[in-house]
Amino acid sequence: MMSSEDRDRLQAVLEALPSGALLQSQADEVLAVNRRFVAMFDLDGRADLSPGAPMRTVVQLVRAFSTTDTTDVSMPHAPDEILARRHVHRVAEIPLTDGRTIRRQVEPLRRNSAYLGALWTFTDITDVKRREHDLKRDNAALTELARQRNAFTAAASHELRTPLTSISSFGELLADPAFGTLTSEQASFLDAIRRNAGRMQRVISDLLLTTRMRAVGPELEFAPVDVPGMLAEALLDHMGELEAAGVFAVLDCEDGPALRGDRHRLRHVIGNLLENAAKFTPAGGRVSITAAPRGVHWDIEVADTGIGIPEKYRHEIFTGFVRAPNARSGGYPGTGLGLAIGRTVVERHGGTIAVGGREGEGAVFRIRLPIAGPPAGAPDDPSADAPDSPSAGAPDAAPGAASGDAEVTS
């Protein structure tokens, strides 16, 4: 027999639990319950919960709260069936008729393999389940919105490409001396048309690339990349923009081993950083590209003396369509796609990209790429598909039986 002191101590332990609790004896009798259990199932005055009271009555009262279909023969629903399965650890989520959801856990109590009874705990998880439901619903809505956005982006981009191609073609024809000499004013107008048509073509290309990357990721073709040569090509590709902006450019690249990567995609990443530098750096400013091998990586840095990036936005700008406030308010054109594309390409190479510097004094973009390329088995690693690449308790229903019982700114 349990002493009065031991019984008080046991009751104090049960009352300290954050859940409703019932302690069952090996003879299927109530040993003790806490106030949370009584309140949870409105048992005050409706059931004998004193030590030694039969569990069968409690089971019936608690089970009346459950919405479980008792015609389901796969679930025990008679009190005797429920109590017969008390010897194993069990967990179930029980929907109640009043809209609550309770997680019930049964933990058998043993000493030296001898069964002594079981501890039943009941936790109200209604708010948790509601949040899970809301999250699933919101995720489904976001997924559909993303699908619609990608479909619209692809359709709009394709629709815009045809007229832009015509504009660019006619612009080239008008520039041909065979069609007559243009005045200086006409030539400046034509230059603006061709320049902006080219910019729109690049924006469309970025939109299409972003849509494709969301669907399947960028398609990378890995081969040895001469880093100094790749950087020199990127700088030459954008020298016209830098000169037009009145920005001085410097390339300082050490010799080093070839990098395993996609030369075209990496040059596009560096080119986007140079475009940004030309756009956000006032005339008379400076853009520098420095690169050197450091251990098993190539470190590449593109720095400018432009408007810089506020510290709180230095992570967000690598998300598509996000631009820093000083870029938006300054009237600088852009979509916010270039850095998002760049981050994806760098990460698919197994590398990292980050930005530093100081707002008002310039931005510093730092890229670190593994010389050996992405780890084996990475999504874009061609060796990933190579042939030699490594590639308890019984079911239960508790008191209240439940179904599912189981254990860049551009």
Side-chain angles (χ1 to χ4, degrees):
M1 291 292 294
M2 185 181 298
S3 69
S4 175
E5 183 179 351
D6 288 340
R7 191 176 299 281
D8 290 344
R9 185 179 293 111
L10 173 62
Q11 188 65 41
V13 170
L14 292 184
E15 294 297 344
L17 294 177
S19 305
L22 178 149
L23 190 62
Q24 171 190 356
S25 74
Q26 61 188 22
D28 293 342
E29 296 174 342
V30 174
L31 285 179
V33 299
N34 65 5
R35 289 192 297 270
R36 286 188 178 86
F37 174 74
V38 175
M40 185 175 289
F41 296 102
D42 190 24
L43 297 176
D44 191 19
R46 299 175 57 235
D48 182 4
L49 298 173
S50 60
M55 279 283 295
R56 193 174 191 279
T57 303
V58 179
V59 170
Q60 291 174 324
L61 291 172
V62 171
R63 186 171 177 76
F65 277 81
S66 172
T67 62
T68 304
D69 182 3
T70 56
T71 63
D72 183 357
V73 297
S74 66
M75 289 294 169
H77 54 276
D80 292 339
E81 291 178 85
I82 295 170
L83 295 174
R85 301 188 177 192
R86 67 193 184 280
H87 295 273
V88 293
H89 171 77
R90 303 183 301 280
V91 178
E93 292 182 0
I94 309 170
L96 304 186
T97 54
D98 58 9
R100 289 179 297 160
T101 302
I102 302 297
R103 177 180 288 125
R104 182 228 62 207
Q105 298 187 65
V106 184
E107 191 65 47
L109 304 177
R110 292 185 174 87
R111 184 175 61 188
N112 298 328
S113 73
Y115 175 73
L116 302 178
L119 175 64
W120 302 79
T121 57
F122 300 82
T123 306
D124 190 334
I125 59 170
T126 305
D127 289 340
V128 174
K129 299 301 290 184
R130 185 179 294 117
R131 286 194 294 269
E132 288 179 358
H133 172 76
D134 291 344
L135 184 61
K136 288 179 181 179
R137 181 190 60 194
D138 292 345
N139 283 340
L142 288 172
T143 299
E144 175 59 19
L145 286 173
R147 185 196 66 77
Q148 293 178 7
R149 179 191 60 192
N150 289 345
F152 170 78
T153 300
S157 300
H158 283 296
E159 289 296 324
L160 287 170
R161 263 192 163 176
T162 299
L164 272 176
T165 301
S166 297
I167 292 171
S168 299
S169 298
F170 282 115
E172 295 297 328
L173 288 174
L174 289 173
D176 190 336
F179 287 88
T181 303
L182 301 176
T183 67
S184 59
E185 187 177 29
Q186 290 172 331
S188 67
F189 291 161
L190 179 59
D191 182 60
I193 292 172
R194 295 166 67 189
R195 185 174 62 253
N196 284 285
R199 176 174 166 270
M200 290 184 70
Q201 289 281 15
R202 290 194 296 274
V203 169
I204 290 171
S205 295
D206 283 348
L207 286 170
L208 288 172
L209 178 58
T210 301
T211 301
R212 187 164 64 250
M213 286 197 305
R214 285 197 184 105
V216 297
E219 299 173 358
L220 303 182
E221 297 180 1
F222 287 87
V225 177
D226 171 31
V227 175
M230 181 269 292
L231 295 176
E233 289 175 4
L235 181 57
L236 289 174
D237 288 343
H238 296 276
M239 187 59 73
E241 298 165 60
L242 293 165
E243 290 178 348
V247 176
F248 182 67
V250 175
L251 171 61
D252 180 13
C253 183
E254 297 182 11
D255 291 330
L259 167 73
R260 182 169 172 271
D262 186 316
R263 184 186 187 96
H264 171 70
R265 295 295 189 197
L266 291 175
R267 191 172 73 184
H268 180 88
V269 173
I270 301 300
N272 178 71
L273 297 180
L274 292 173
E275 287 181 16
N276 287 347
K279 185 192 312 180
F280 297 116
T281 303
R286 175 187 175 96
V287 175
S288 62
I289 307 174
T290 57
R294 297 282 187 269
V296 296
H297 295 90
W298 266 99
D299 287 343
I300 303 171
E301 184 175 287
V302 179
D304 62 54
T305 57
I307 64 174
I309 300 168
E311 187 171 354
K312 66 180 293 186
Y313 290 92
R314 291 180 184 174
H315 178 74
E316 293 183 35
I317 59 172
F318 292 101
T319 303
F321 300 102
V322 173
R323 307 181 73 217
N326 55 347
R328 297 195 305 268
S329 61
Y332 300 98
T335 60
L337 289 174
L339 291 179
I341 294 172
R343 182 183 67 172
T344 301
V345 171
V346 169
E347 289 179 348
R348 289 299 181 96
H349 278 78
T352 59
I353 180 171
V355 62
R358 185 173 297 177
E359 185 178 3
E361 297 182 9
V364 182
F365 287 88
R366 299 182 179 92
I367 299 174
R368 167 163 283 196
L369 297 167
I371 294 173
D380 290 294
D381 178 23
S383 68
D385 297 325
D388 56 346
S389 296
S391 349
D396 167 67
S403 60
D405 194 29
E407 220 21 64
V408 160
T409 312
S410 177

